[in-house]
């Protein structure tokens, strides 16, 4: 596949889980992929090697999100990495995937934890886009990874769900603002996905309960989400913007 040949992509949180699945898929599509990581450089380098082993091109960049100046630090690392790769300059595809979870009902969430989850999940993508617009080429793509919890009531993770709701609003707003440049802005909302950040799924009983949420009676895989992102990143999605594509496997459609 080479739908993205000649394109440069940046996937935040691309060293593991859904982000790694996205980075690998974009690499197979022919894009030069910047694999961002927060702290685990080894995981990012492993993802790069996997992409290269499949015939793709990639490089790793590090910047911890949720801290003052995080967006500027990430773009500085991106510019340096791209220059070192001799990938020219500029960006075609930005995937805001990096995020953290936070469990807790409203009476259980500490203010510091609330601030932290918003800093990583909502504030960081906002300023990454702000500082990246000068690099993003006309006709580019922005894909924000949201969550299926934004379309159901989910009190056990209210603050996390709020961050993803904010991301959905950002998606809709920027789609209108950036449309004149031919840039599409969309969101993808995964459901429960089997990745290393969900070790509780290793319990057969928990896995069965999670699978039952989907009409297909299975738990999602990173590839299920990555395929949707790859579509939105391609020219096939040129007429799709301001949308939130549900990638939950039909979870919780009824009562």
């Amino acid at each position: 596949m080479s739908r993205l040949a000649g394109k440069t992509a940046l996937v935040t949180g691309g060293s593991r889980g859904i982000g790694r699945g996205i980075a690998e898929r974009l690499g197979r599509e022919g894009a030069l992929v910047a694999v961002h990581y927060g702290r685990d450089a080894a995981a990012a380098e492993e993802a790069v090697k996997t992409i290269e082993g499949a015939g793709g091109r990639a490089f790793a960049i590090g910047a911890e999100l949720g801290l003052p100046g995080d967006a500027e630090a990430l773009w500085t690392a991106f510019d340096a990495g791209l220059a070192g790769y001799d990938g020219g300059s500029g960006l075609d595809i930005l995937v805001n995937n990096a995020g953290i979870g936070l469990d807790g009902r409203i009476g259980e969430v500490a203010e510091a934890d609330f601030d932290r989850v918003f800093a990583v999940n909502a504030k960081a993508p906002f300023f990454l886009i702000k500082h990246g617009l000068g690099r993003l080429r006309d006709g580019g793509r922005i894909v924000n990874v949201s969550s299926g919890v934004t379309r159901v009531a989910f009190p056990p993770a209210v603050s996390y769900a709020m961050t993803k709701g904010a991301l959905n609003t950002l998606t809709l707003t920027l789609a209108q603002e950036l449309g004149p440049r031919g840039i599409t802005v969309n969101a993808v909302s995964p459901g429960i996905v089997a990745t290393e950040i969900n070790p509780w799924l290793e319990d057969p009983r928990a896995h069965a309960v999670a699978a039952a949420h989907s009409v297909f009676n299975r738990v999602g895989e990173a590839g299920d989400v990555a395929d949707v992102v790859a579509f939105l990143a391609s020219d096939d999605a040129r007429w799709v913007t301001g949308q939130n594509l549900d990638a939950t496997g039909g979870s919780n459609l009824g009562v």
Side-chain angles (χ1 to χ4, degrees):
M1 295 181 287
S2 58
R3 289 190 299 178
L4 302 179
K7 305 291 187 182
T8 298
L10 165 61
V11 182
T12 67
S15 64
R16 61 176 185 163
I18 293 174
R20 178 164 176 172
I22 294 170
E24 291 180 2
R25 177 59 195 271
L26 297 185
R28 291 198 301 273
E29 292 279 3
L32 168 61
V33 184
V35 179
H36 162 262
Y37 67 92
R39 298 180 180 178
D40 194 345
E45 291 295 345
E46 182 180 340
V48 167
K49 289 179 181 178
T50 299
I51 293 169
E52 292 176 337
R57 302 177 302 148
F59 60 93
I61 59 171
E64 186 172 355
L65 302 182
L67 303 176
D70 54 1
E72 294 94 331
L74 188 150
W75 286 119
T76 297
F78 172 82
D79 292 340
L82 192 59
Y85 199 94
D86 194 24
S89 61
L91 180 71
D92 301 286
I93 302 159
L94 170 60
V95 181
N96 285 306
N97 164 79
I100 59 173
L102 179 61
D103 294 332
R105 296 174 180 269
I106 189 168
E108 302 167 337
V109 176
E111 186 171 353
D113 293 333
F114 181 93
D115 290 344
R116 171 66 177 164
V117 74
F118 264 87
V120 176
N121 294 5
K123 182 179 179 181
F126 182 98
F127 285 98
L128 281 172
I129 295 171
K130 174 184 175 179
H131 293 292
L133 284 178
R135 296 169 174 84
L136 190 63
R137 298 184 181 95
D138 291 355
R141 302 285 187 264
I142 298 175
V143 182
N144 298 318
V145 178
S146 181
S147 173
V149 299
T150 58
R151 65 168 173 77
V152 296
F154 198 67
V158 58
S159 52
Y160 169 79
M162 288 173 65
T163 66
K164 296 302 186 177
L167 200 58
N168 291 348
T169 299
L170 178 64
T171 298
L172 183 63
T173 303
L174 291 181
Q176 183 177 37
E177 181 169 351
L178 300 180
R181 290 183 55 191
I183 296 171
T184 67
V185 188
N186 293 288
V188 175
S189 288
I192 301 174
V193 179
T195 67
E196 62 268 28
I197 63 174
N198 288 322
W200 55 274
L201 286 171
E202 296 177 6
D203 183 326
R205 290 173 296 181
H207 192 281
V209 171
H213 286 288
S214 166
V215 297
F216 303 119
N217 196 35
R218 73 171 177 86
V219 172
E221 302 289 339
D224 296 323
V225 182
D227 289 350
V228 179
V229 174
F231 161 70
L232 290 174
S234 75
D235 190 57
D236 292 342
R238 62 192 175 277
W239 203 236
V240 180
T241 196
Q243 302 305 302
N244 183 352
L245 273 64
D246 186 289
T248 68
S251 294
N252 300 325
L253 285 181
V255 294

